[in-house]
Amino acid sequence: MFPGPVRSRHPLLRVLPPLALLLCVPLAGCGPGTAPGPGSVSGSASAPAGSAAERAVRRAVAAWSAAPPQRLAAIPLEGWSYEVSSVRVDGVRAFARAELHYRLTGYDAAPAGSAREVELTRGSGPDGSGGPAGSATPGGPGGSWTVVADRPAPGTPPQLWDQGRVGVARGAHALVLGGDGQSPEALAAIAAEADEAVPAASAAWPRPWAGRVVVLVPGSLEAMAALLGRPVEEYRGLGAVTTGSTGAGPAPADRVVVNPEGYGQLSAEGRQVILTHETTHVATRAATTAKTPLWLSEGFADWAAYRGSGRSAAEAAPATGRAVRRGDLPAELPGNAAFAFGGDGEALARAYEGSWLACRLIARKWGDAALVSLYEKAGREPLPTALEEALGTDLPALTRAWQEELRGEFR
């Protein structure tokens, strides 16, 4: 199922075996989606609002979509409904644009949505040998219509179930949905890893949150890219993507989308770091806004992921160490532009490493509670105000302390 706007993603940089360094880079949003399905009709006549044909098509869609398809019975779905926005008729075929609404039971605080195109034919229905067809309206004004296809609306990424069979694994704190080809054993292993990530995120973020996570595991890298509506090359070598909306208020649960190829390259420790980092983004969603600096949101997620790991700065921040030793001490904390994907990989690594080291410094110098307080305040107030209220300092002083920390770690 397509989870919504992409918020962040994790490239993998191979540094010290057996653990790969995991980075999380925000995307501006989803790009061009999937191409129209083969049955899509552009420019066909719209049925007049309130016409007999439109009413008949709407009745057929309503009857057909009264409950999730039986093939999705293993997925905990509720609130399943199709809201038709327009109907187009082309002879014996009709195309209804609709918004699918549903919730993952126990996970979504608000309905998730997906734009769909439902295709229908007039007259007798198919022979029932397969496909999503069914629910013909009775004859009479407007004719008898039968649903013969349901697909993403043109320009809209698919749902996970559009790609084939969906497997389900449940943990104490996690729901894992796997794409076609993912084995039950693989999904169960990720559920167990997510079950460890949730308490770790809660320990770092002692504020109320759902305390559970949804993980999608597409069947392939290509399937992952299709779900997110982006080119395959953007995800090659990545470990995972976090999706969702920031800010308070009811919303569908964030989805952590795993790249089965990149994730499979990680050690057990690396997988735990990546899921804890991503789960921390889920935990802090309500406190994260456009005001939150990326060095703080990404640094905090890495701080949560590395807590208690015993990883030294030299082990976890090798790119920063190389830069400092050659005299390239950063003049300021990483700006938001430093996290843009597609640029210099070494510079990107330094942005993440420097952010982690800044959050680690704050926790050491001012305390874990002060770091959490800073995160909360930085989502509501200008950063100078948040720093003064949470730490009793300003940005120049914090920057100097961070630079001194870098000198001390990488002499």
Side-chain angles (χ1 to χ4, degrees):
M1 58 196 65
F2 179 63
V6 177
R7 189 173 72 193
S8 59
R9 56 184 175 178
H10 260 287
L12 306 178
L13 298 182
R14 299 185 190 280
V15 285
L16 296 175
L19 177 64
L21 177 63
L22 309 162
L23 306 179
C24 182
V25 185
L27 282 171
C30 291
T34 55
S40 300
V41 174
S42 299
S44 57
S46 295
S51 69
E54 180 190 15
R55 292 195 302 270
V57 168
R58 287 178 180 270
R59 287 197 302 271
V61 173
W64 166 80
S65 63
Q70 183 59 35
R71 64 191 177 87
L72 305 184
I75 305 174
L77 294 167
E78 62 180 337
W80 183 272
S81 66
Y82 279 61
E83 182 180 354
V84 177
S85 59
S86 66
V87 173
R88 296 179 295 168
V89 176
D90 179 33
V92 298
R93 293 195 301 170
F95 299 86
R97 289 294 180 88
E99 184 73 11
L100 167 62
H101 300 285
Y102 65 89
R103 298 188 192 207
L104 292 176
T105 306
Y107 290 86
D108 289 333
S114 175
R116 309 291 293 180
E117 181 178 72
V118 181
E119 182 179 352
L120 305 92
T121 59
R122 190 198 302 264
S124 59
D127 61 11
S129 61
S135 298
T137 56
S144 175
W145 293 93
T146 301
V147 174
V148 295
D150 169 35
R151 53 182 164 259
T156 302
Q159 300 283 311
L160 188 61
W161 56 73
D162 290 321
Q163 299 178 332
R165 182 188 62 84
V166 176
V168 180
R170 295 174 183 265
H173 308 294
L175 173 68
V176 180
L177 303 179
D180 199 19
Q182 292 294 339
S183 71
E185 294 77 15
L187 300 184
I190 292 176
E193 291 162 351
D195 273 350
E196 294 187 24
V198 169
S202 294
W205 183 252
R207 296 291 186 267
W209 71 289
R212 51 189 180 267
V213 65
V214 177
V215 182
L216 307 185
V217 190
S220 66
L221 170 62
E222 290 73 18
M224 176 192 184
L227 282 179
L228 298 168
R230 306 290 294 188
V232 171
E233 290 306 316
E234 291 197 10
Y235 299 104
R236 197 174 302 283
L238 301 185
V241 173
T242 301
T243 73
S245 303
T246 56
D254 294 354
R255 273 53 158 166
V256 175
V257 186
V258 168
N259 171 8
E261 292 185 10
Y263 194 80
Q265 298 171 12
L266 297 171
S267 66
E269 186 181 5
R271 292 193 298 272
Q272 202 59 60
V273 168
I274 199 171
L275 281 183
T276 302
H277 180 118
E278 298 296 354
T279 302
T280 301
H281 280 309
V282 176
T284 59
R285 179 191 68 80
T288 308
T289 72
K291 290 180 178 291
T292 310
L294 288 180
W295 71 259
L296 182 56
S297 62
E298 298 301 340
F300 186 92
D302 268 349
W303 173 75
Y306 283 118
R307 287 176 82 228
S309 71
R311 305 292 288 185
S312 68
E315 291 173 317
T320 300
R322 288 191 291 271
V324 173
R325 291 189 189 99
R326 65 173 178 260
D328 188 10
L329 186 72
E332 58 187 9
L333 288 164
N336 287 0
F339 296 88
F341 185 76
D344 181 355
E346 188 83 354
L348 184 63
R350 292 197 301 270
Y352 276 90
E353 293 169 0
S355 299
W356 166 62
L357 290 166
C359 288
R360 190 187 70 159
L361 166 67
I362 293 168
R364 285 180 174 179
K365 185 176 177 66
W366 286 277
D368 293 3
L371 176 58
V372 170
S373 177
L374 174 63
Y375 197 109
E376 290 181 305
K377 292 177 183 296
R380 304 190 304 260
E381 304 165 353
L383 183 60
T385 303
L387 286 168
E388 177 60 35
E389 292 180 353
L391 308 183
T393 191
D394 57 21
L395 186 56
L398 175 61
T399 302
R400 288 192 297 271
W402 173 66
Q403 290 171 325
E404 189 59 34
E405 178 88 349
L406 297 182
R407 292 190 190 96
E409 288 285 359
F410 303 114
R411 284 183 279 200

